[in-house]
Amino acid sequence: MARPEGFEFRSANSNEMAQFTGLGSYVFASPPGEDDPPSLLLPEWTHCAFHGEKIAASSGVFPFVVRLNGGTAPVHGVTSVGTEPEYRRQGLVRQLMTDLLHRAKDENQVASILLASRGAIYQRFGYGPASSQVGYKFDPRESMFQEQVPVTGRIERLSKTRAMPLAADVFKAYARPRTMLALRVAPVWERFFADVEKEKAYCVVHFDEHEVADGYCIYSTVWKENTQYQQMVCRDLCYTNLNAWRAIWEYLCSHDLVNQITWPSVPEDDPAPGLLLEPRCLNRSVMDQLWMRIVDVEGMLQARGYDVDGEMIIAVDDDEICPWNNGVYQLTIENRQATVVRVKAEPDMICSIHGLASLASGFARASWLSQLGRVKVSDEARLGYFDQMFATRFRPALSFGF
């Protein structure tokens, strides 16, 4: 595809970042004064289409490291993709996204991830769904457990200064076996603990019987207008054992003046639906969350963790934007360590680049992707085996926006 004429594609400089952020605020209708994630972008992380001195279209990437079923992988987190209305339908976003994917490969990133304003936009570029976002909105007085199990240890609400290092340690342990959780740097932690308008941030930490922190929750409370009740918003909840999760849940639900708890970003396999007497009270909602695009098939397959040993041959033959991905790969797992090499052999599975993102992230099973036509196998009897090879211990989830 020819590059759009009359535009310069480059990073914004420091003097142009206000214009960059302003375009993002307009495109995504940000409230006045809101500290948008794009404000955390360094100029060199941006990529824009300039028409003269004006930013006609914008994009940017955060360099993330994500957990992949016990493994880790460097990925680009794409953000701030937008176009001024008068410049739309001229191929600017397509060029920006193509440039970003090629840049990711040059910078040894194995994949690109994003939170899509509309999935239809990014499936054109080879992105496949990689996680779901679950939400709760419930009255804590209706959230009784099926069984009353006594919790051990103690729980304490701490200041930001005391809580943040403890929360960071718990998060590291919580994230280690999980999938698609991005490791957090200091500015991300600051956003979790930030007071927003009338909502003050609190953090409660659970300590086990040995005084070791094993769970925490960052939340806020605010009075509901024209009522005698408060609303609680759960921003982040991590734990290393079920006892800590139970203790935190009971603590949150013990606020007598709160008649609604909202948790907008719940892991898909959170324990609550399996432990509550009436799980319907959670008013559980589900929507797409992360979309992932693999830019280095060999690197992705080798970086993720596996829980069973085995061998299979995978082919990719439909990647037009990142043609270096097309080929046949032999994946061998021994002692849960993966080795990936290119081979000339008949594949066990032909996988679309979209489907491979969903498979590698643990979002979708090979057998389901086969039903969708995004995976073709030489022997359908082996689909269950392929499901086992790519299974993850926890459902993929990301705990913050970007």
Side-chain angles (χ1 to χ4, degrees), residues 91-401:
L92 300 184
V93 166
R94 172 167 287 277
Q95 191 61 60
L96 289 175
M97 293 301 301
T98 299
D99 289 350
L100 288 181
L101 292 172
H102 285 235
R103 173 174 161 182
K105 181 65 165 61
D106 292 341
E107 296 179 357
N108 298 315
Q109 311 292 307
V110 302
S112 169
I113 60 174
L114 54 79
L115 300 165
S117 53
R118 296 187 66 187
I121 297 173
Y122 297 99
Q123 292 192 68
R124 294 179 296 163
F125 306 118
Y127 286 81
S131 73
S132 294
Q133 178 169 318
V134 175
Y136 294 163
K137 185 178 290 186
F138 64 98
D139 187 330
R141 293 166 295 189
E142 297 179 359
S143 61
M144 292 79 72
F145 289 124
Q146 302 167 17
E147 301 178 39
Q148 297 304 311
V149 178
V151 295
T152 58
R154 68 180 183 87
I155 201 161
E156 183 178 357
R157 191 172 70 250
L158 300 177
S159 67
K160 171 185 171 181
T161 302
R162 292 181 60 199
M164 191 179 292
L166 295 171
D169 287 342
V170 172
F171 177 80
K172 288 178 184 176
Y174 173 83
R176 192 169 295 118
R178 285 175 166 78
T179 298
M180 301 312 297
L181 268 185
L183 304 186
R184 299 176 183 174
V185 293
V188 174
W189 281 109
E190 290 291 339
R191 290 178 64 83
F192 274 109
F193 279 90
D195 297 333
V196 180
E197 296 181 351
K198 298 179 181 179
E199 296 183 14
K200 178 176 173 57
Y202 299 100
C203 184
V204 62
V205 177
H206 182 266
F207 298 87
D208 67 16
E209 54 269 34
H210 303 293
E211 287 297 302
V212 176
D214 60 357
Y216 73 88
C217 180
I218 304 171
Y219 64 97
S220 59
T221 54
V222 62
W223 286 101
K224 297 173 72 175
E225 193 172 347
N226 299 321
T227 74
Q228 57 182 326
Y229 292 107
Q230 299 172 11
Q231 174 183 333
M232 176 182 289
V233 178
C234 177
R235 301 183 182 184
D236 192 32
L237 196 165
C238 293
Y239 55 94
T240 60
N241 57 74
L242 190 59
N243 177 73
W245 180 90
R246 276 183 171 269
I248 292 170
W249 186 272
E250 290 181 357
Y251 170 87
L252 297 178
C253 294
S254 68
H255 288 69
D256 290 339
L257 294 180
V258 172
N259 75 343
Q260 181 178 289
I261 295 178
T262 301
W263 187 2
S265 188
V266 185
E268 194 176 351
D269 48 9
D270 178 68
L275 294 179
L276 295 187
L277 183 64
E278 183 47 81
R280 195 179 300 173
C281 79
L282 296 170
N283 297 302
R284 190 173 181 267
S285 61
V286 183
M287 63 179 293
D288 63 280
Q289 187 193 46
L290 271 182
W291 292 75
M292 183 166 76
R293 208 287 185 197
I294 295 177
V295 296
D296 179 357
V297 170
E298 184 176 343
M300 168 58 73
L301 294 178
Q302 195 156 299
R304 80 185 299 279
Y306 301 86
D307 293 324
V308 296
D309 290 349
E311 184 176 290
M312 66 182 298
I313 297 176
I314 304 172
V316 175
D317 63 5
D318 68 338
D319 198 341
E320 297 180 357
I321 296 177
C322 302
W324 57 82
N325 279 330
N326 293 321
V328 182
Y329 303 84
Q330 179 175 299
L331 168 63
T332 304
I333 307 163
E334 293 182 356
N335 298 320
R336 301 188 178 184
Q337 297 296 313
T339 302
V340 183
V341 294
R342 286 181 180 258
V343 295
K344 293 183 178 180
E346 288 299 315
D348 301 309
M349 174 191 297
I350 301 174
C351 195
S352 71
I353 197 66
H354 306 77
L356 190 58
S358 297
L359 184 66
S361 67
F363 176 79
R365 297 179 302 162
S367 54
W368 185 65
L369 292 168
S370 176
Q371 296 174 33
L372 304 181
R374 292 199 161 170
V375 156
K376 296 179 181 178
V377 294
S378 59
D379 182 0
E380 291 192 357
R382 300 189 70 198
L383 278 170
Y385 170 68
F386 299 149
D387 288 346
Q388 283 186 311
M389 286 186 68
F390 282 93
T392 57
R393 280 160 271 171
F394 296 91
R395 293 291 296 160
L398 181 74
S399 54
F400 62 90

